[in-house]
Amino acid sequence: MSREATNGVPCGARVLTLDTMNPNVRRVEYAVRGPIVQRAVQIEKELREVTFKTRRPGTTRGVKKPFTEVIKANIGDAHAMGQRPITFFRQVLALCSYPELLEDNKFPEDAKKRARRILDACGGHSLGAYSASQGIECIRQDVARYIERRDGGISSNPDNIYLSTGASDAIVTILKMLVCGEGRDRTGVMISIPQYPLYSAALADLGAVQISYYLEEESCWSLNVTELRRALNEAKQHCKPRVLCIINPGNPTGQVQSRQCIEDVIRFAKEEHLFLMADEVYQDNVYADGCKFHSFKKVLFEMGPEFSSKVEMASFHSTSKCYMGECGFRGGYMEVINMDPQVKAQLTKLVSVRLCPPVPGQALLDLVVNPPQPDEPSYSTFMKERKAVLADLAEKARLTEEIFNTVPGITCNPVQGAMYTFPRIALPQKAIDKAKEQGLVPDMFYCMRLLEEEGICLVPGSGFGQKEGTFHFRMTILPPTEKLKVVLQKIRDFHLKFTQEFS
């Protein structure tokens, strides 16, 4: 006879099961590291086992493939794709991590000066000490000065800067502050479709209502206020819209919003009384002629006090993208604007629960916002490396668009910015039917076949959201140019073969 514990769980049974766990967590999906990436990792293991067996008979059996490596073009991880770190950044981080190197004459004096300043701001002069929960004060001051330079002198208050564990941590924190209510009063959050899956995952986890607005693929993934209004009005029937999220430059779509578009969005946010979240982690990644990055804060303040004193906003930046690509250090910041002082105190309380962002990531962020200056010894090397990375990305953006648009059945918008392309693929009806037979979304079926046959890992467009009846994939442009050419050629050949097979 089974007995029940006081909490209703049968004795001997697990306390935590799929039925008893947080249902919001079950609803979370994150396509960038979803099933196709898990399969890619498994294939890599199979390839290693084949190689190992060749050297030593009798070891675990591998599976031979028609390729020798998996090329992971699914995620914006620059260094994993072969991008070299910026010398100055790594020199200072090395000095901060092992201060004895400050006596080594191989390191330039400006790197040593930066390292000493950072260490002086750390408890016990060590990166291993906790910092203030909002971030090291002198680094927040440097971030504020960086924003002022970027925005043509518009004031930035270090007290409004919060350092974070990459931009993702700050985005989730702000969403957590904003989500409240039940039923029709539950917070609705407007996100673009296609979107970066962090947003839909965070909203599922928080139990918020996702309000989808569609970017216009036919107009290079532009944002139209008419579409914002449609989405908002429909959502008012079942939730309380309170937040508008914008990613500029865009992920996964690579568009760069015009100044006029940003003005229109700010007006819309003010009219509808929405909190604005500006995800600007790709702000240095602008490639297309005629395109320019405009920060939402700069435009907001140039629109005058009617807007700059009323629109509540948080903007986000990271060390993971742009020319840095330092994803693993998890450095980032957010700036909050027009936040109620009492709410801001609650925000400070909330971030203090996590103690502090990673201090090495804070140190790296300080170097990003306070790089070598023209009169310093590291300046010429720094600028040479920075320009080379961005020029290389611009060339790969052009190359990707050019080659994809030569393939019948693939349509690719210009990659204006960021580090991804999101081409549309035409799939034969027989392929769509076959996918349904296997219980797969058609572009997942397509991408899984591409992985198994060519060793190329992409993310299906369904993981980002797309208009009904359309299919896409997201691919990063980060692989080295020669490898990228191979990837593009393999995708071209695969698409033609796939189309012929199912025609």
Side-chain angles (χ1 to χ4, degrees), residues 355-411:
L355 295 178
C356 70
V359 176
Q362 294 185 51
L364 174 63
L365 177 66
D366 191 54
L367 306 175
V368 173
V369 299
N370 185 24
Q373 299 303 301
D375 61 346
E376 292 181 314
S378 298
Y379 179 77
S380 60
T381 299
F382 169 77
M383 290 302 295
K384 180 181 178 182
E385 292 176 344
R386 182 185 187 278
K387 288 178 180 177
V389 170
L390 293 175
D392 190 40
L393 286 169
E395 171 58 22
K396 289 189 285 191
R398 184 200 62 76
L399 182 71
T400 300
E401 177 201 353
E402 181 181 281
I403 291 180
F404 274 150
N405 282 328
T406 67
V407 185
I410 297 182
T411 307

Side-chain angles (χ1 to χ4, degrees), residues 223-237:
L223 192 163
N224 190 311
V225 171
T226 302
E227 169 61 13
L228 288 180
R229 202 167 299 282
R230 177 207 62 79
L232 183 87
N233 290 336
E234 287 184 9
K236 285 178 178 177
Q237 307 304 312

Side-chain angles (χ1 to χ4, degrees), residues 188-255:
V189 180
M190 303 185 71
I191 65 172
S192 62
I193 300 295
Q195 54 103 20
Y196 176 49
L198 163 69
Y199 290 91
S200 56
L203 297 182
D205 185 26
L206 295 169
V209 178
Q210 176 179 319
I211 304 172
S212 301
Y213 65 89
Y214 289 88
L215 302 177
E216 293 187 353
E217 183 171 9
E218 295 74 19
S219 303
C220 205
W221 299 112
S222 63
L223 192 163
N224 190 311
V225 171
T226 302
E227 169 61 13
L228 288 180
R229 202 167 299 282
R230 177 207 62 79
L232 183 87
N233 290 336
E234 287 184 9
K236 285 178 178 177
Q237 307 304 312
H238 59 270
C239 70
K240 184 171 285 187
R242 301 180 69 208
V243 191
L244 172 57
C245 301
I246 306 286
I247 308 174
N248 180 49
N251 175 10
T253 44
Q255 84 284 2

Side-chain angles (χ1 to χ4, degrees), residues 404 407-411 424-427 495 499:
F404 274 150
V407 185
I410 297 182
T411 307
R424 184 169 176 170
I425 50 176
L427 299 181
H495 185 82
T499 302

Side-chain angles (χ1 to χ4, degrees), residues 421-495:
T421 181
F422 197 70
R424 184 169 176 170
I425 50 176
L427 299 181
Q429 186 59 45
K430 287 183 180 178
I432 295 171
D433 295 341
K434 186 70 172 178
K436 289 178 180 177
E437 283 178 23
Q438 297 185 11
L440 295 173
V441 179
D443 49 16
M444 170 63 86
F445 174 66
Y446 177 95
C447 288
M448 195 64 83
R449 282 281 301 264
L450 175 65
L451 174 64
E452 296 286 354
E453 295 177 22
E454 301 292 346
I456 297 170
C457 182
L458 307 178
V459 189
S462 49
F464 301 89
Q466 54 198 351
K467 284 186 177 179
E468 186 72 26
T470 68
F471 307 106
H472 302 79
F473 60 75
R474 188 189 80 162
M475 186 189 85
T476 178
I477 61 171
L478 289 172
T481 302
E482 292 309 309
K483 181 171 281 189
L484 180 64
K485 289 178 180 177
V486 172
V487 169
L488 294 170
Q489 185 61 45
K490 282 189 170 188
I491 294 173
R492 182 185 189 281
D493 294 344
F494 169 81
H495 185 82

Side-chain angles (χ1 to χ4, degrees), residues 129-279:
Y130 288 131
S131 77
S133 297
Q134 200 169 337
I136 295 170
E137 184 175 2
C138 72
I139 298 178
R140 288 189 290 113
Q141 291 170 350
D142 287 347
V143 170
R145 284 194 288 266
Y146 161 81
I147 292 170
E148 289 175 350
R149 291 193 306 272
R150 182 197 68 187
D151 293 344
I154 294 168
S155 177
S156 177
N157 185 345
D159 289 340
N160 291 334
I161 305 296
Y162 289 77
L163 307 190
S164 57
T165 308
S168 300
D169 172 54
I171 289 166
V172 173
T173 297
I174 289 293
L175 287 172
K176 188 176 290 187
M177 296 286 294
L178 284 157
V179 174
C180 67
E182 298 294 336
R184 292 184 63 175
D185 290 330
R186 191 64 172 166
T187 295
V189 180
M190 303 185 71
I191 65 172
S192 62
I193 300 295
Q195 54 103 20
Y196 176 49
L198 163 69
Y199 290 91
S200 56
L203 297 182
D205 185 26
L206 295 169
V209 178
Q210 176 179 319
I211 304 172
S212 301
Y213 65 89
Y214 289 88
L215 302 177
E216 293 187 353
E217 183 171 9
E218 295 74 19
S219 303
C220 205
W221 299 112
S222 63
L223 192 163
N224 190 311
V225 171
T226 302
E227 169 61 13
L228 288 180
R229 202 167 299 282
R230 177 207 62 79
L232 183 87
N233 290 336
E234 287 184 9
K236 285 178 178 177
Q237 307 304 312
H238 59 270
C239 70
K240 184 171 285 187
R242 301 180 69 208
V243 191
L244 172 57
C245 301
I246 306 286
I247 308 174
N248 180 49
N251 175 10
T253 44
Q255 84 284 2
V256 178
Q257 302 293 359
S258 68
R259 182 192 170 89
Q260 184 61 56
C261 176
I262 293 171
E263 287 187 15
D264 292 344
V265 169
I266 290 171
R267 286 194 186 90
F268 176 80
K270 179 178 178 292
E271 289 169 11
E272 299 295 342
H273 206 54
L274 299 172
F275 189 101
L276 195 53
M277 294 178 64
D279 181 340

Side-chain angles (χ1 to χ4, degrees), residues 99-115:
E100 284 80 355
L101 291 174
L102 288 164
E103 307 305 319
D104 193 324
N105 60 15
K106 293 187 180 71
F107 290 82
E109 281 305 313
D110 53 346
K112 292 181 180 181
K113 181 180 177 181
R114 293 290 201 294

